[in-house]
């Protein structure tokens, strides 16, 4: 099971730190914060479209934007974040749910687009590492969650065993995992359109209804409103998969 971190089982203050980085760039360049955000987002999407780990390296993006603006402000997202990381919080009683899944002998893989230099503190602060056999990050996998090799199973794991992705982001936790043959459970946190839909090469959310024969690939196998519902949801998926295969938890 590939379990997403941010927005799925944990909430961290990284968005606030990224916003502060935009403000520093705006102050140094004399430009509007909104414009800085647009520049940063455009670079972020361009890197993400190529599944490059730098897409979620906020210090790299800060440096690239600063260089393009001809300014050299002193600011480190990693350092700033380390000072507020203790404010991270578990969502939906996730440690309890993860404990239940672990006791049921599921192989749990923490799968995040966040780089380890930002995520390590969140994982350790919340004690989440005890529940996972593996931790997958872009810097360890060489790509983002929109890259097929991100989901390569550890050596010795039977690739015929169904794999499940669970997360709150449609594009990274449902669309691409489904394209790569995984089952997907969507934790629906918002009704707003996913800003990463552009990475699917679809014009927008309405395009999902016009995907023709590939339409089934674009739908989550289950949608839940809280991670607390995941145990029941994955149980149903496992049961369904077992009817047509020799499913094993490990």
């Amino acid at each position: 099971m590939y379990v997403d971190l941010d927005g799925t089982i944990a909430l961290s203050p990284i968005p606030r730190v990224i916003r502060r980085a935009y403000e520093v760039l705006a102050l140094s360049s004399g430009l509007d914060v909104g414009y800085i955000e647009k520049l940063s987002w455009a670079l972020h999407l361009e890197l993400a479209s190529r599944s490059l780990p730098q897409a979620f390296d906020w210090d790299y993006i800060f440096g690239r934007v600063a260089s393009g603006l001809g300014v050299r402000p002193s600011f480190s997202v990693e350092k700033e974040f380390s000072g507020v990381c203790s404010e991270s919080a578990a969502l939906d009683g996730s440690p309890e749910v993860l404990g239940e899944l672990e006791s049921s002998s599921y192989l749990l893989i923490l799968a995040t687009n966040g780089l380890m230099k930002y995520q390590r503190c969140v994982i350790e602060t919340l004690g989440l590492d005890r529940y996972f056999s593996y931790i997958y990050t872009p810097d360890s996998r060489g790509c983002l969650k929109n890259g097929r090799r991100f989901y390569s199973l550890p050596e010795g794991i039977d690739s015929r065993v169904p794999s499940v992705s669970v997360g709150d982001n449609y594009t990274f936790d449902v669309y691409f995992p489904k394209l790569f043959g995984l089952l997907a459970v969507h934790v629906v946190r918002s009704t707003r359109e996913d800003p990463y839909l552009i990475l699917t090469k679809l014009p927008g959310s309405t395009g999902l209804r016009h995907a023709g024969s590939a339409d089934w690939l674009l739908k989550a196998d289950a949608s839940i409103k809280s991670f607390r519902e995941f145990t029941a949801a994955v149980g149903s998926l496992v049961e369904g998969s077992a009817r047509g295969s020799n499913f094993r938890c490990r």
Side-chain angles (χ1 to χ4, degrees), residues 155-243:
E155 186 175 351
I157 302 299
D158 189 350
S159 61
R160 294 171 297 178
V161 174
S163 296
V164 181
S165 165
V166 58
D168 68 305
N169 180 263
Y170 168 79
T171 299
F172 287 113
D173 299 316
V174 176
Y175 182 85
F176 283 105
K178 291 288 291 181
L179 286 182
F180 302 144
L182 283 71
L183 299 172
V185 177
H186 190 196
V187 183
V188 182
R189 299 288 189 192
S190 172
T191 57
R192 292 180 298 178
E193 183 175 283
D194 178 5
Y196 290 105
L197 269 179
I198 190 172
L199 299 179
T200 70
K201 302 187 185 301
L202 292 173
S205 58
T206 55
L208 303 179
R209 293 196 293 268
H210 304 288
S213 61
D215 188 54
W216 67 275
L217 285 172
L218 306 173
K219 297 177 181 176
D221 295 283
S223 293
I224 57 180
K225 294 182 179 179
S226 167
F227 189 67
R228 290 183 186 276
E229 302 171 34
F230 180 60
T231 303
V234 78
S236 297
L237 292 180
V238 167
E239 183 179 348
S241 296
R243 295 193 188 103

Side-chain angles (χ1 to χ4, degrees), residues 1-2 107 109 134 136 141 148-164 182:
M1 292 184 185
Y2 297 87
L107 177 67
I109 299 175
Y134 302 91
Y136 282 11
R141 307 304 293 169
R148 185 180 295 274
R149 72 176 180 273
F150 188 95
Y151 303 94
S152 297
L153 289 168
E155 186 175 351
I157 302 299
D158 189 350
S159 61
R160 294 171 297 178
V161 174
S163 296
V164 181
L182 283 71

Side-chain angles (χ1 to χ4, degrees), residues 17-233:
V17 177
I18 295 171
R19 179 68 180 181
R20 174 58 183 154
Y22 295 156
E23 293 172 349
V24 170
L25 285 171
L27 184 63
S28 299
S29 64
L31 298 171
D32 182 72
V33 174
Y35 179 70
I36 298 296
E37 185 171 2
K38 287 181 179 179
L39 287 179
S40 301
W41 180 254
L43 175 58
H44 171 65
L45 282 182
E46 190 273 324
L47 295 167
S49 70
R50 296 155 58 197
S51 201
L52 295 176
Q54 292 94 327
F56 286 86
D57 186 339
W58 305 113
D59 281 307
Y60 173 81
I61 290 176
F62 180 89
R64 281 279 302 273
V65 174
S67 177
L69 295 174
V71 296
R72 300 180 63 182
S74 177
F75 187 83
S76 167
V77 174
E78 181 180 2
K79 183 177 180 179
E80 189 82 6
F81 181 61
S82 67
V84 296
C85 179
S86 60
E87 298 176 24
S88 299
L91 288 173
D92 303 333
S94 56
E96 180 183 347
V97 177
L98 292 169
E100 293 173 356
L101 293 168
E102 183 187 33
S103 65
S104 297
S105 297
Y106 290 115
L107 177 67
L108 300 181
I109 299 175
L110 183 60
T112 172
N113 269 331
L115 273 59
M116 185 56 83
K117 66 179 180 179
Y118 305 121
Q119 303 292 48
R120 179 180 289 107
C121 179
V122 179
I123 295 167
E124 294 178 352
T125 294
L126 301 178
L128 297 175
D129 49 327
R130 74 186 73 175
Y131 303 109
F132 294 95
S133 298
Y134 302 91
I135 297 176
Y136 282 11
T137 61
D139 37 333
S140 69
R141 307 304 293 169
C143 63
L144 306 180
K145 291 163 75 172
N146 59 345
R148 185 180 295 274
R149 72 176 180 273
F150 188 95
Y151 303 94
S152 297
L153 289 168
E155 186 175 351
I157 302 299
D158 189 350
S159 61
R160 294 171 297 178
V161 174
S163 296
V164 181
S165 165
V166 58
D168 68 305
N169 180 263
Y170 168 79
T171 299
F172 287 113
D173 299 316
V174 176
Y175 182 85
F176 283 105
K178 291 288 291 181
L179 286 182
F180 302 144
L182 283 71
L183 299 172
V185 177
H186 190 196
V187 183
V188 182
R189 299 288 189 192
S190 172
T191 57
R192 292 180 298 178
E193 183 175 283
D194 178 5
Y196 290 105
L197 269 179
I198 190 172
L199 299 179
T200 70
K201 302 187 185 301
L202 292 173
S205 58
T206 55
L208 303 179
R209 293 196 293 268
H210 304 288
S213 61
D215 188 54
W216 67 275
L217 285 172
L218 306 173
K219 297 177 181 176
D221 295 283
S223 293
I224 57 180
K225 294 182 179 179
S226 167
F227 189 67
R228 290 183 186 276
E229 302 171 34
F230 180 60
T231 303

